[in-house]
Amino acid sequence: MNKFILILLWLGSMMLAQATTIENYQPYLQPGLDKARLQLADIEPLIKQYAADPALKVTELGRSVENRPIYLLQLGQGEKRVMAWSQMHGDEHTATAALFDFLNYTLAPEQQAWREQWFSEITLYIVPMLNPDGAARNSRVNAQGIDINRDALALQSPEGRLLMQLARRIQPHYGFNLHDQNRFHAAGDAPNPATISLLAPAYNAAREINDSRRRAMQLIAHVKPWLDRQIPDHLGRYNDSWSPRSFGDTFAGMGISTVLVEAGGHRNDDNRQVARRLNFQLYVAWINAIVSGSYRDAALSDYEAIPFNNSGGLKDLILSKLQVRVADTEATLDIGVNFHTEGDRYARIHELGDLTGYGAYHQFDVSGLRYQQGRAYPLTEALLLDDQRYQQLLRLGYTHFSGDAKLLQRQTNLPVLVNPLRPTQSSPQLRQGATFLLVNAQGEVIQVLLNGQLLDLARLEVLNPLGT
Ligand SMILES: [Zn+2]
């Protein structure tokens, strides 16, 4: 009999574990949001559409510095109040897309029973783009140049004031603080991007744990086993030092159980669609956990077991074991290259030497090949550049073109550098451009690195195309 009850309990717990979140997310992903950036114009038509749905209430929370509307969506009428806000940093939009996936799921006809259940327990307040001005210029800060997430005390930005007024008015029990993080964060010691990082922010310098922070930690601990299955060794914990100017920390101090979600990179996933759907699934999981209270069984040790982000643990590209000669000194080096965006997108040598322990979005073993500086091909007369001609020039050691760009007629889709700002160097140099030849022992050019893109010369194929 006891054994029978134990089996029933075990089966029940398995079913609960499986019900942590939805697995069939695909039909609910909002089309049109798989983009490098999201602005108000991307989501405003969706919000207008939802405004007609009696299942939720859409209001204008207020206006940004440049008078763009900031919307508030309200769902449910339960006593447990949850507040979620995304894109307070204008260039961090992954969660904004996920919130619309979540809305699609919640309002789908087949979810009526589920929806009615949690609507009776929870009132959910969503601010899906707190910083529309920053979104318009793809910047972290607002139109005043203020980082809204450092304005929780000074409240000099209208956007920050709106968020604080909302929190004071509704006094949420739970807060979902939704961000994107730098793609160079690795998940602890794993050589992988932290695709999701979570944190229950501290409310004081001693990082003490009170009831409200404990609940936030338990919400995170509750989803950890599921995340570990979804993205093994890609889960991180965000830096937990106390930052009183930040909203998460300030809200934690106001007794709001706040979880910080940082969407991060993933290999072959430039627009962070993996982090997006995990965000969506996390919201469902947390709504379920708040309704049932099941998260209160989660152990804080599961939270503590999440490794901290390893800042800078990831590189965009690592070329390992390249032969390099400087003066008369011969060395075998790993070369780490990162892409930067400051106006144009360019690649820079970020680190040289032994890069064991680092991860990379793309990594190639180039042992047996030697670094060689490229040459400039002077454009003095018209040049028709098709694949074959380009291959010939690269074999001759030309990595770029100089002179009158109008003389060059491109008939190739391969990357072509004309009058590059960061020329090729006689030897690899930190913080300098990433353009050079890789030659074999016979001096033949085998591969060419063109502004961080590695071209296999025989196959005429870029091995790490931009955007992956
Ligand atoms: Zn952020």
Side-chain angles (χ1 to χ4, degrees):
M1 184 64 184
N2 276 347
K3 208 172 180 181
F4 180 67
I5 290 171
L6 277 175
I7 288 170
L8 274 184
L9 282 172
W10 176 79
L11 276 174
S13 69
M14 288 301 287
M15 285 167 71
L16 259 182
Q18 281 174 356
T20 299
T21 190
I22 53 160
E23 298 299 334
N24 184 25
Y25 56 83
Q26 203 72 38
Y28 305 101
L29 298 180
Q30 173 62 45
L33 302 184
D34 177 358
K35 294 169 77 171
R37 45 188 291 200
L38 288 185
Q39 307 179 49
L40 190 60
D42 294 302
I43 64 165
E44 214 169 15
L46 302 172
I47 293 172
K48 297 257 155 77
Q49 227 171 298
Y50 280 127
D53 192 321
L56 81 174
K57 195 169 125 193
V58 176
T59 52
E60 200 180 293
L61 182 63
R63 292 267 164 160
S64 67
V65 172
E66 292 178 340
N67 204 34
R68 290 187 175 86
I70 297 166
Y71 290 100
L72 173 65
L73 283 55
Q74 187 179 332
L75 298 91
Q77 52 285 137
E79 285 192 354
K80 294 167 181 156
R81 294 180 295 281
V82 181
M83 181 170 138
W85 62 100
S86 73
Q87 218 166 339
M88 66 162 30
H89 293 138
D91 56 351
E92 301 177 7
H93 69 263
T94 302
T96 302
L99 285 168
F100 286 95
D101 303 335
F102 173 81
L103 288 169
N104 284 346
Y105 178 73
T106 301
L107 300 172
E110 65 273 22
Q111 302 308 332
Q112 188 184 353
W114 177 74
R115 174 172 73 234
E116 282 174 0
Q117 185 206 3
W118 77 255
F119 274 21
S120 67
E121 299 279 340
I122 290 177
T123 307
L124 172 63
Y125 301 85
I126 297 175
V127 182
M129 184 184 282
L130 184 65
N131 183 3
D133 296 350
R137 38 172 78 68
N138 201 31
S139 77
R140 175 181 176 88
V141 296
N142 77 348
Q144 298 161 292
I146 295 177
D147 182 336
I148 298 168
N149 205 25
R150 302 292 178 268
D151 194 37
L153 299 181
L155 293 175
Q156 292 305 298
S157 63
E159 299 88 354
R161 282 197 292 273
L162 288 170
L163 188 66
M164 183 56 81
Q165 284 160 6
L166 179 66
R168 291 204 187 285
R169 175 161 65 84
I170 66 177
Q171 301 191 342
H173 303 94
Y174 304 90
F176 301 165
N177 185 12
L178 308 173
H179 291 256
D180 276 59
Q181 65 184 352
N182 181 319
R183 73 178 181 282
F184 302 121
H185 287 310
D189 293 332
N192 298 322
T195 303
I196 293 285
S197 293
L198 301 170
L199 180 75
Y203 64 93
N204 64 11
R207 286 174 274 187
E208 288 175 296
I209 301 172
N210 59 6
D211 278 349
S212 89
R213 188 171 184 221
R214 180 177 292 107
R215 281 193 286 275
M217 288 172 159
Q218 287 181 306
L219 279 174
I220 291 170
H222 174 74
V223 295
K224 179 184 181 285
W226 174 79
L227 280 169
D228 282 341
R229 290 194 299 276
Q230 293 288 317
I231 43 165
D233 299 319
H234 288 72
L235 175 65
R237 187 153 38 126
Y238 205 76
N239 178 342
D240 75 342
S241 56
W242 183 50
S243 169
R245 296 180 301 156
S246 302
F247 271 93
D249 305 56
T250 299
F251 284 169
M254 289 161 59
I256 304 168
S257 296
T258 306
V259 290
L260 170 69
V261 183
E262 294 277 357
H266 204 74
R267 289 188 180 89
N268 305 314
D269 178 28
D270 212 35
N271 290 342
R272 304 195 176 188
Q273 298 302 294
V274 174
R276 168 185 169 179
R277 67 104 174 151
L278 292 169
N279 259 265
F280 161 31
Q281 290 170 302
L282 280 173
Y283 312 153
V284 175
W286 282 331
I287 290 292
N288 287 337
I290 290 169
V291 168
S292 68
S294 59
Y295 75 93
R296 299 308 305 266
D297 301 329
L300 290 193
S301 56
D302 264 350
Y303 175 82
E304 305 284 352
I306 301 173
F308 279 110
N309 278 355
N310 175 12
S311 173
L314 253 283
K315 313 244 183 253
D316 278 323
L317 169 70
I318 292 180
L319 301 176
S320 11
K321 303 194 182 76
L322 183 66
Q323 294 297 311
V324 175
R325 181 190 286 272
V326 177
D328 280 332
T329 306
E330 190 74 32
T332 302
L333 302 180
D334 303 333
I335 298 188
V337 172
N338 284 348
F339 286 97
H340 298 260
T341 309
E342 284 155 28
D344 61 337
R345 189 169 181 182
Y346 67 95
R348 218 159 59 163
I349 294 178
H350 192 256
E351 197 158 347
L352 288 167
D354 181 359
L355 299 187
T356 310
Y358 282 99
Y361 287 93
H362 297 275
Q363 183 154 9
F364 301 98
D365 185 334
V366 294
S367 48
L369 298 180
R370 171 178 297 281
Y371 181 100
Q372 188 178 303
Q373 182 174 23
R375 293 193 288 158
Y377 185 92
L379 292 167
T380 52
E381 54 186 43
L383 173 65
L384 179 82
L385 192 70
D386 59 12
D387 279 355
Q388 201 187 355
R389 181 70 176 130
Y390 196 23
Q391 190 179 35
Q392 286 170 349
L393 293 177
L394 290 164
R395 282 213 166 106
L396 292 170
Y398 296 106
T399 47
H400 58 286
F401 298 87
S402 64
D404 186 355
K406 290 196 291 294
L407 292 172
L408 188 71
Q409 194 190 337
R410 288 190 206 194
Q411 289 191 354
T412 173
N413 293 321
L414 298 168
V416 177
L417 308 182
V418 184
N419 297 317
L421 292 173
R422 297 161 193 87
T424 170
Q425 309 278 323
S426 62
S427 65
Q429 303 286 330
L430 275 184
R431 289 178 290 280
Q432 297 299 319
T435 297
F436 53 83
L437 307 163
L438 295 89
V439 302
N440 66 11
Q442 289 73 45
E444 297 163 333
V445 180
I446 303 300
Q447 295 176 335
V448 187
L449 192 68
L450 294 167
N451 193 23
Q453 294 181 273
L454 189 63
L455 179 70
D456 182 286
L457 204 46
R459 287 186 284 153
L460 277 184
E461 184 189 340
V462 175
L463 302 178
N464 60 329
L466 283 177
T468 60

